[in-house]
Amino acid sequence: MSTDSAAPDVDTEGGATVEEQLEELREELAEVKAEVAPDQKKMTIISTKGTLDMAYPPLILASTAAAFGWDVTVFHTFWGLDILHKEKTKGLKLSAVGNPSLPMPNLLAAIPGMDAMATRMMKSKIKKNQTATIQELIDVCLESGVELQACQMTQDLMDYDEDDFIEGVTTGVGAATAIDHMAEADIQLLV
Amino acid sequence: MGTDYAITETLDVKGESCPMPVVKAKKAFDGLVEGDVLEVLATDPGAFPDFEAWANRIEAVEILDQIERQNGETVYVNVVRKGADE
């Protein structure tokens, strides 16, 4: 870009015009990007489930990938939104029905209170084993730079407001944003 | 694997399970400089393979030693050195 005649006559230190300085910064930015980008792996997870058991895998993988120095995005949609919801995240439940790993037949599992019981059992095991809680994992993710996103369409569908989400969560994004991240990612997972 | 290293910092994650040992080790690592040695004490039996995988993916993480200690409970000690930044 030629700068000597057409550029506005705004002199700064050293005689460089604003335009020259801008060009210089652009070049520097491109260099920095080229230096950082090729090596950094990327992972995108689509998190769709809001039960206690299904809330874990995306957050565990995301926090671990962040510890690997990766660029990580978790896109939350449908019941996955509950993981990021200030109130709902505290009450994520285990479903007793249709869970063949629980030692009770479906007929009994359908009795009111069984989900709550299964959830209590799971939570007490989590505590006993010193497994990280969902809240701890969300904190670790946000601290380590994981991008936690809430899908706009399902946010509207569920009547959630952007203020309902934990601070640090990116709201108001859609499928195009998710696709854009997935296209660049080395690992894409749907949970 | 030799034992000729000086430990700069010890991180105790005994009792904690996946993914915390690696996540906390990374956090501790960020506070260290090149050449520093971090010792991580874990009771998670997955700590050895997980630290190997972590070191395998990050150039600046080098495993110097993996020691199993019996102290009433089994403690898996990972000794990692911080190399040059990727």
Side-chain angles (χ1 to χ4, degrees):
Chain A
M1 190 186 285
S2 160
T3 50
D4 39 22
S5 58
D9 197 15
V10 188
D11 270 2
T12 51
E13 78 236 54
T17 64
V18 172
E19 206 174 8
E20 278 169 341
Q21 288 184 323
L22 191 65
E23 187 57 28
E24 211 172 292
L25 282 173
R26 279 201 188 109
E27 277 168 18
E28 267 178 44
L29 183 67
E31 273 172 32
V32 169
K33 274 186 176 170
E35 238 173 74
V36 174
D39 281 356
Q40 196 181 28
K41 291 248 183 198
K42 289 185 179 177
M43 179 166 78
T44 303
I45 303 175
I46 312 296
S47 177
T48 67
K49 304 279 201 293
T51 54
L52 183 59
D53 49 339
M54 295 305 273
Y56 270 98
L59 293 173
I60 289 175
L61 292 173
S63 55
T64 304
F68 279 38
W70 291 16
D71 178 3
V72 187
T73 300
V74 189
F75 182 86
H76 295 75
T77 186
F78 284 87
W79 290 274
L81 285 179
D82 289 356
I83 299 164
L84 304 181
H85 191 284
K86 275 182 204 160
E87 296 308 317
K88 303 224 170 211
T89 192
K90 296 174 192 161
L92 300 181
K93 288 185 177 56
L94 203 67
S95 176
V97 174
N99 188 340
S101 299
L102 286 180
M104 67 175 87
N106 271 343
L107 201 65
L108 282 183
I111 294 171
M114 281 302 179
D115 281 357
M117 199 185 86
T119 304
R120 268 203 309 278
M121 277 164 56
M122 181 71 153
K123 281 197 168 169
S124 86
K125 286 205 101 172
I126 286 169
K127 203 170 176 184
K128 193 173 140 252
N129 283 5
Q130 282 185 264
T131 302
T133 64
I134 293 298
Q135 279 69 43
E136 282 167 346
L137 288 172
I138 290 172
D139 287 348
V140 164
C141 281
L142 288 171
E143 269 171 35
S144 54
V146 172
E147 166 97 355
L148 299 177
Q149 299 181 334
C151 160
Q152 180 66 50
M153 184 276 283
T154 40
Q155 190 181 311
D156 296 340
L157 199 65
M158 308 259 192
D159 281 328
Y160 294 160
D161 194 76
E162 68 177 78
D163 297 332
D164 292 336
F165 295 102
I166 292 164
E167 213 187 308
V169 168
T170 304
T171 54
V173 292
T177 306
I179 295 277
D180 188 38
H181 282 277
M182 283 192 276
E184 297 290 321
D186 299 278
I187 296 176
Q188 307 96 349
L189 295 170
L190 174 70
V191 178
Chain B
M1 285 187 188
T3 47
D4 49 340
Y5 48 79
I7 289 157
T8 318
E9 199 180 304
T10 298
L11 172 71
D12 186 352
V13 288
K14 291 201 292 286
E16 297 195 48
S17 53
C18 171
M20 288 318 202
V22 167
V23 166
K24 290 196 172 169
K26 152 75 174 165
K27 213 170 173 184
F29 230 63
D30 286 344
L32 299 179
V33 297
E34 192 179 334
D36 282 355
V37 175
L38 178 70
E39 175 190 52
V40 186
L41 314 176
T43 48
D44 174 12
F48 280 174
D50 277 0
F51 271 74
E52 279 167 28
W54 183 52
N56 187 33
R57 287 285 156 193
I58 307 177
E59 233 171 277
V61 179
E62 187 199 346
I63 294 184
L64 296 179
D65 224 341
Q66 293 188 313
I67 315 148
E68 211 175 305
R69 277 186 206 140
Q70 298 294 339
N71 260 347
E73 58 182 352
T74 308
V75 179
Y76 302 91
V77 186
N78 279 291
V79 184
V80 285
R81 195 172 71 98
K82 182 160 180 164
D85 271 329
E86 320 92 283

